[in-house]
């Protein structure tokens, strides 16, 4: 399921997150997220965030695992941390899970959750 790992990593890139067209391709119209902060986000929230100023933070990913749940669904699990230029080390470490559905448009992210963790 390297395709899903690649799509998940693409969603970490600023040029994808700042493109409504790209987000519509990657995110299911019923997308829902419970973020690292505990805040909840919808598909509409993600589209609205396209206008936010870009961040210098970069996402680092480790220990990706993909579990095929059915013919049209898969669960991607991994750990992430953020790197921000000018600061020391990695911040905002989290366990992540993403539920992907195979739709007529291809694989789309239906649900995502980030859970804070103390250390990598």
């Amino acid at each position: 399921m390297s395709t899903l790992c690649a799509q998940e990593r693409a969603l970490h890139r600023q040029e994808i997150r700042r493109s409504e067209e790209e987000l519509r391709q990657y995110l299911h119209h019923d997308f829902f997220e419970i973020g690292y902060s505990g805040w909840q986000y919808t598909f509409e929230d993600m589209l609205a965030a396209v206008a936010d100023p870009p961040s210098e933070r970069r996402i680092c990913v480790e220990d990706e695992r993909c579990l095929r749940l059915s013919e049209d669904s898969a669960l991607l699990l991994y750990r992430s941390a953020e790197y921000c230029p000018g600061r020391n080390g990695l911040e905002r470490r989290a366990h992540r899970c993403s539920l992907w559905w195979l739709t007529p448009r291809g694989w789309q992210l239906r649900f995502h959750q980030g859970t804070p963790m103390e250390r990598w």
Side-chain angles (χ1 to χ4, degrees):
M1 297 301 313
S2 61
T3 300
L4 294 183
C5 292
Q7 285 189 216
E8 184 85 22
R9 286 176 184 246
L11 283 167
H12 296 161
R13 297 193 332 251
Q14 292 294 315
E15 63 270 20
I16 301 296
R17 297 181 74 82
R18 299 289 169 248
S19 167
E20 186 174 323
E21 182 180 336
E22 294 280 2
L23 287 179
R24 287 184 184 280
Q25 178 62 38
Y26 285 104
L27 301 181
H28 190 275
H29 62 88
D30 286 329
F31 172 78
F32 182 74
E33 175 178 350
I34 301 171
Y36 176 94
S37 64
W39 287 94
Q40 298 178 18
Y41 304 94
T42 64
F43 179 76
E44 291 79 19
D45 294 329
M46 299 303 287
L47 293 181
V50 166
D52 291 349
S55 170
E56 290 187 18
R57 292 183 180 272
R58 300 295 173 251
I59 308 288
C60 302
V61 173
E62 183 177 275
D63 196 24
E64 292 169 302
R65 291 170 288 159
C66 189
L67 307 171
R68 192 71 180 253
L69 303 176
S70 72
E71 189 77 17
D72 342 351
S73 64
L75 182 65
L76 184 60
L77 304 163
Y78 61 98
R79 293 182 300 188
S80 72
E82 292 182 2
Y83 169 76
C84 187
R87 293 192 156 167
N88 292 330
L90 298 173
E91 302 172 338
R92 295 175 51 97
R93 293 166 177 83
H95 290 287
R96 302 271 178 184
C97 66
S98 294
L99 180 60
W100 288 85
W101 282 3
L102 186 57
T103 72
R105 297 185 73 183
W107 285 100
Q108 291 188 308
L109 183 58
R110 174 66 178 84
F111 173 78
H112 180 79
Q113 181 168 353
T115 304
M117 56 188 283
E118 287 188 29
R119 55 180 106 84
W120 191 282

